[in-house]
Amino acid sequence: MRLYLAIPVVLLALLIAASGVAALTRGWVLPTNRLPVRRPRLYGWGQLVVALALCWQVAFLLLLSDPDTRQWGTLTGSVLLLTGLLVMMVSRRTGGHRQDA
C-alpha cells in the first residue's frame, strides 16, 4: 500500500468531515464560505458525502489488489464525490427573485 498517498487523503477527508459535522450540527461554515452558503446544513451533508467518497476511493484504490473490484470501487467513489459536490453547489444557490406581473 502506498502510504504517501493514503495518509494525506485520509487526513483531508477527516478535515472535510469535521467541517461537515460542524455545519450539520451547529450551522457553522468556514469563514471563507459563509457568504455564499445559504443552507449550511445541506452544505454539511455535501461535505460528509465528499469525505466518504475520498475514504471510499482510498480503500478501493490502495487496499485491494483485484483490478475489477478496484475499478468499480473507484468509479463508485467518483460518483459519490460528484454527488457531494452537487449537493454543496445546491446549498450555495440563491433563491430566485420572482416578479409577479
Side-chain angles (χ1 to χ4, degrees):
M1 182 169 79
R2 296 173 287 263
L3 288 177
Y4 63 90
L5 288 174
I7 291 173
V9 172
V10 169
L11 287 176
L12 180 68
L14 286 174
L15 287 174
I16 293 172
S19 178
V21 167
L24 195 61
T25 59
R26 303 279 185 198
W28 184 85
V29 180
L30 290 170
T32 56
N33 293 335
R34 278 189 194 144
L35 189 60
V37 172
R38 301 287 182 223
R39 291 176 274 179
R41 299 218 188 318
L42 186 63
Y43 191 77
W45 278 113
Q47 285 183 319
L48 287 177
V49 172
V50 166
L52 173 72
L54 288 174
C55 290
W56 185 277
Q57 285 184 340
V58 165
F60 276 91
L61 182 64
L62 299 177
L63 298 179
L64 297 177
S65 60
D66 182 33
D68 292 333
T69 306
R70 186 173 18 179
Q71 180 182 9
W72 285 106
T74 306
L75 182 65
T76 305
S78 298
V79 169
L80 279 172
L81 185 65
L82 286 176
T83 303
L85 290 175
L86 285 173
V87 169
M88 290 169 65
M89 282 176 35
V90 167
S91 72
R92 288 177 165 241
R93 287 181 47 194
T94 60
H97 298 292
R98 293 187 180 179
Q99 295 178 351
D100 293 330

